[in-house]
Amino acid sequence: MPGLPARRAHDPAMIKVSLISLGCAKNLVDSEIMVGHLRQAGMQVIPDAENADVVIVNTCSFIDSSKEESIGHVLRAHEDRGLRRRRSGQKLIVAGCMSQRFAKELPGELPEVDAFIGLDQVTRIAPIIEQVLARSGKAGAGAEGGGPATFVTPRSTYIPDYDTPRFRLTPRHTAYVKIAEGCNHPCTFCIIPQIRGRHRSRTVESVVAEARQLVSEGVRELNLISQDTTFFGMDTWDQRPNPRTPVDSSRGAALTTLLRQLNSIPGDFWIRLLYTHPAHWSDELIRTIAECRKVARYVDMPLQHISERMLCAMQRETGGDYIRDLVRRIRSGIPGIALRTTFIVGFPGETEADVDELCSFVRETKFERLGVFRYSQEDGTRAARMAGQVSAGEKDRRWRRVMALQREIAAEVSARSVGRLCKVLVEEPGVARGEADAPDIDGRVYVSRELPVGEFAKVTITRSREYDLLALPEGEEPAEWKTARMAS
């Protein structure tokens, strides 16, 4: 069965590539870097896999459900090429976290794949594609029919820079800025440090240079991401040219420096802080956010639990009293802040009393934004070997209990917004997000379709629907408000 014409295999401009990106925003940035390097090499990046010479699936493997989703996409891509593109010799490459995590197992389990690449091969994607296309053998048979090729290196150490070739896959007005990679935390439920390696920060100068370029291109929202944004820069403190030079002993000093420099960039835009770990918050960080008006009044801080027993078993490096005090300090120090968090239910050894305490905490704190995960027993983590594993049915019951409580709180929080004048970022005709809404995570604000997409607008919130809001442009009000005012 013939493969690609020889001239296409040797001419990058003739190679068409389609990429499917799965998982979190951090994975999306990796996809953007791959697309940037493909375009730099002169290859064509197209949206439809049907007409592609190469299909790349950038996978996630954080929990079982994401791994299953990734495998499903890989198998569908293989089936589709078998139905539509068998004569073309279309190649299938699997990238990302799943490749990195299961580098040894996947070639035997997914022989349909032509090649696997890991997290540190994103900048080498173009030469890898040329190498894969140059190999003989039918699609899915690997080198000379000997199985998939594996380009994954054992330990991930890569970190992008401000001038790394990249093509954004987000709308023009919003961007993700990866300020660090990897994680040093010992959480017993998490596999991420084994996949993405030790924490490594970019320099403040590198991040600011990227941010300046993005703002100059019309970006209205910079979403700062990493595995732990509050640890930004702390890994470099012992790399000072003169170790005797004192550093700011306030934890989070590197992040505060970054936020203040980003805030000084001219222009009208939001800086959104995602993936902050509670262990690294400081009073200086709270003051910095309060003083920097471009930093959105929104904080994403996964807490995972409030029970002392569970926090200890999870090795979260924070206790229940510390968390309660931190929430109090953040809300007191940053007026109007919207707190977003996530919790895990069904962790090994979790009792009904632990869930009761969690629900009481949620009810008392009234988080503006909240998500709940069912614990996933991940091979390779310490929690997977713990006694007291909770059944799937019980995890689901606990998840429904916390989420039902949060739905009530969300409706109450949304109702408080009615009548307020708010600044929103218009996402698409008739749909916007407020300062308290991160992209693809939180609620929406439904607005007039005439408001320009990709720009800020001032609107008055007129109604609420649990997680979403309805609004009219500044100066307008619903007819029923006018009637009520006239009647009074």
Side-chain angles (χ1 to χ4, degrees):
M1 193 170 294
L4 283 170
R7 65 183 179 87
R8 183 176 293 182
H10 295 289
D11 182 2
M14 297 295 290
I15 299 172
K16 297 178 181 179
V17 184
S18 181
L19 187 146
I20 300 167
S21 188
L22 307 174
C24 66
K26 297 178 284 290
N27 222 34
L28 180 64
V29 171
D30 293 343
S31 294
E32 293 176 338
I33 291 171
M34 282 194 278
V35 174
H37 282 79
L38 292 172
R39 289 167 60 90
Q40 185 186 56
M43 296 182 183
Q44 301 176 53
V45 182
I46 61 175
D48 54 318
E50 180 179 357
N51 296 314
D53 302 311
V54 179
V55 176
I56 303 170
V57 182
N58 192 17
T59 60
C60 178
S61 186
F62 177 48
I63 55 178
D64 275 345
S65 58
S66 57
K67 180 173 61 179
E68 291 168 4
E69 180 189 12
S70 294
I71 292 174
H73 275 278
V74 171
L75 294 177
R76 279 194 294 277
H78 170 66
E79 291 167 1
D80 288 345
R81 74 171 171 180
L83 291 171
R84 302 183 308 215
R85 296 286 293 170
R86 189 171 296 279
R87 289 185 181 179
S88 74
Q90 187 184 73
K91 300 296 183 179
L92 176 59
I93 296 177
V94 175
C97 288
M98 189 172 75
S99 288
Q100 188 73 41
R101 180 179 177 185
F102 300 107
K104 295 180 180 178
E105 297 89 344
L106 286 179
E109 294 180 4
L110 292 173
E112 303 89 348
V113 175
D114 293 285
F116 294 93
I117 68 169
L119 300 172
D120 284 12
Q121 285 74 58
V122 292
T123 61
R124 293 181 50 226
I125 186 61
I128 287 174
I129 283 177
E130 292 182 328
Q131 184 175 339
V132 170
L133 288 175
R135 292 155 62 197
S136 61
K138 64 181 181 180
E144 289 71 45
T150 301
F151 297 89
V152 184
T153 48
R155 179 172 297 183
S156 179
T157 59
Y158 173 71
I159 184 72
D161 206 346
Y162 72 94
D163 56 355
T164 298
R166 177 181 170 193
F167 182 83
R168 285 195 293 116
L169 301 174
T170 53
R172 181 177 178 271
H173 54 271
T174 186
Y176 292 104
V177 180
K178 187 185 287 191
I179 65 174
E181 183 60 278
C183 184
N184 292 356
H185 289 291
C187 303
T188 56
F189 56 82
C190 187
I191 198 70
I192 292 297
Q194 298 178 46
I195 298 175
R196 291 195 171 261
R198 299 281 295 172
H199 181 99
R200 47 207 185 271
S201 301
R202 292 170 59 181
T203 64
V204 170
E205 293 76 17
S206 172
V207 177
V208 172
E210 180 181 350
R212 286 185 184 279
Q213 179 62 34
L214 290 169
V215 171
S216 73
E217 294 170 0
V219 169
R220 294 289 179 261
E221 179 181 51
L222 302 173
N223 296 283
L224 306 188
I225 60 172
S226 71
Q227 302 302 325
D228 175 8
T229 51
T230 38
F231 197 72
F232 173 76
M234 291 186 183
D235 55 317
T236 65
W237 280 5
D238 292 331
Q239 300 173 21
R240 287 163 285 147
N242 180 2
R244 295 183 180 180
T245 302
V247 297
D248 187 340
S249 60
S250 172
R251 306 194 77 178
L255 180 60
T256 60
T257 301
L258 174 62
L259 291 177
R260 290 187 184 280
Q261 291 198 24
L262 293 176
N263 189 72
S264 69
I265 296 174
D268 186 15
F269 59 92
W270 283 335
I271 303 162
R272 192 177 296 278
L273 201 54
L274 301 174
Y275 306 108
T276 73
H277 193 291
H280 303 305
W281 274 80
S282 67
D283 289 340
E284 175 59 24
L285 179 55
I286 293 171
R287 280 193 296 272
T288 297
I289 294 173
E291 293 170 4
C292 294
R293 288 308 309 167
K294 292 177 184 176
V295 179
R297 290 330 189 226
Y298 173 100
V299 164
D300 171 43
M301 183 173 62
L303 297 175
Q304 312 304 13
H305 221 289
I306 193 61
S307 160
E308 200 74 33
R309 289 180 61 256
M310 290 295 96
L311 292 169
C312 182
M314 293 177 178
Q315 288 192 219
R316 283 291 291 167
E317 304 174 290
T318 55
D321 289 343
Y322 170 87
I323 289 173
R324 290 181 174 91
D325 180 64
L326 176 59
V327 169
R328 179 193 59 77
R329 287 189 289 124
I330 290 175
R331 283 202 165 147
S332 172
I334 313 172
I337 192 73
L339 286 178
R340 184 181 213 285
T341 193
T342 53
F343 293 110
I344 295 173
V345 294
F347 188 83
E350 185 185 56
T351 65
E352 199 64 29
D354 295 321
V355 181
D356 289 343
E357 183 178 358
L358 177 59
C359 287
S360 295
F361 177 60
V362 169
R363 188 177 295 107
E364 294 162 5
T365 308
K366 297 187 186 302
F367 290 96
E368 285 77 11
R369 308 286 183 262
L370 183 147
V372 184
F373 288 98
R374 303 168 184 84
Y375 166 73
S376 179
Q377 189 176 2
E378 294 299 311
D379 289 340
T381 63
R382 280 165 287 178
R385 302 188 298 272
M386 290 180 178
Q389 298 289 332
V390 179
S391 70
E394 183 59 26
K395 290 177 192 175
D396 192 60
R397 186 189 69 79
R398 295 175 185 183
W399 177 85
R400 284 186 279 107
R401 179 183 173 189
V402 182
M403 286 306 300
L405 172 60
Q406 180 58 24
R407 274 194 297 274
E408 297 175 9
I409 294 170
E412 179 183 330
V413 169
S414 295
R416 291 204 301 261
S417 297
V418 175
R420 292 180 182 174
L421 183 65
C422 297
K423 181 180 181 180
V424 297
L425 180 58
V426 183
E427 287 273 79
E428 56 188 82
V431 181
R433 287 185 289 108
E435 198 168 354
D437 302 308
D440 301 321
I441 298 175
D442 300 311
R444 293 180 167 192
V445 182
Y446 292 95
V447 297
S448 168
R449 295 182 63 86
E450 281 69 45
L451 292 177
V453 173
E455 298 296 337
F456 289 117
K458 287 288 186 68
V459 298
T460 301
I461 306 301
T462 58
R463 265 183 269 172
S464 64
R465 298 176 181 167
E466 264 188 8
Y467 298 102
D468 298 328
L469 301 171
L470 284 74
L472 287 173
E474 182 179 11
E476 296 185 24
E477 61 181 16
E480 58 265 30
W481 287 15
K482 296 178 183 177
T483 302
R485 191 173 61 254
M486 292 174 63
S488 63

